[in-house]
Amino acid sequence: MINDSVPAPATERYEADALILYGVKLNDRNDYARFDVGEGSLTDLRMQLFHGDVGSASGEYSVVLAYGYAFEGHCYRFDSNRVFLVTGDPPRDAVGCGFDDLGYMMWRIRASDMLLEICTNFGDAKTLILDANLPGKRSPSSYAITLRMAHRDGRLTRD
């Protein structure tokens, strides 16, 4: 019996905060990733990482459509697909967590590594702007914070 919840084995060096990201590399065939913008098959949004002012593409990077990850010997699935920009670690063929031999890749990163998450939503303006800002759907930091100041002995200053 094959256990699909076994993450990839450790490599030549153990890292306590190692994280394995499972997914597909969107910029595998080209030096850029392509996103559908809903205007037909001939219109794309292309994303490419450039380094410096010279306009040259940087070294090894991956635009990853991630499905899951492994951390501390356990496998997890994202509630929805997520897109990350991963620099540094080259992709390898996926091993473990049920992603074996299915065309998926894996990236070994550290929990302290900086990532860029690309959030993609597609819809009409009403849904993306108006409905997203209704009370209860906004992030907590966008709500008004009010402060009530009590006076001290009839004074509002400390002088």
Side-chain angles (χ1 to χ4, degrees):
M1 181 175 157
I2 298 173
N3 188 353
D4 288 343
S5 63
V6 176
T11 56
E12 58 277 350
R13 182 176 169 204
Y14 172 73
E15 296 174 359
D17 65 342
L19 182 96
I20 301 170
L21 193 62
Y22 291 100
V24 293
K25 185 175 178 180
L26 295 178
N27 61 326
D28 196 24
R29 294 186 184 153
N30 301 310
D31 197 29
Y32 54 85
R34 298 171 55 184
F35 295 93
D36 180 22
V37 294
E39 294 185 3
S41 61
L42 300 177
T43 306
D44 293 336
L45 174 68
R46 293 183 180 184
M47 188 170 119
Q48 184 176 19
L49 182 65
F50 283 90
H51 188 271
D53 294 329
V54 295
S56 63
S58 72
E60 181 64 37
Y61 74 97
S62 300
V63 180
V64 179
L65 178 63
Y67 298 100
Y69 64 98
F71 184 67
E72 292 184 347
H74 298 282
C75 297
Y76 304 95
R77 297 279 195 268
F78 291 121
D79 55 349
S80 63
N81 300 339
R82 297 176 62 186
V83 180
F84 296 104
L85 180 72
V86 178
T87 57
D89 186 58
R92 301 175 183 98
D93 290 334
V95 176
C97 293
F99 293 101
D100 306 80
D101 302 322
L102 296 173
Y104 293 99
M105 305 296 285
M106 69 180 197
W107 291 260
R108 289 186 187 273
I109 58 177
R110 300 187 76 135
S112 59
D113 287 349
M114 299 301 284
L115 290 178
L116 175 67
E117 181 177 6
I118 301 139
C119 299
T120 56
N121 290 326
F122 182 75
D124 58 359
K126 179 184 180 304
T127 304
L128 295 178
I129 298 172
L130 300 176
D131 291 347
N133 284 308
L134 289 173
K137 293 187 178 181
R138 294 184 290 217
S139 66
S141 62
S142 68
Y143 288 104
I145 298 174
T146 58
L147 173 69
R148 296 184 186 264
M149 183 165 54
H151 65 82
R152 298 182 58 156
D153 299 328
R155 299 179 296 167
L156 291 177
T157 61
R158 293 184 182 214
D159 294 39

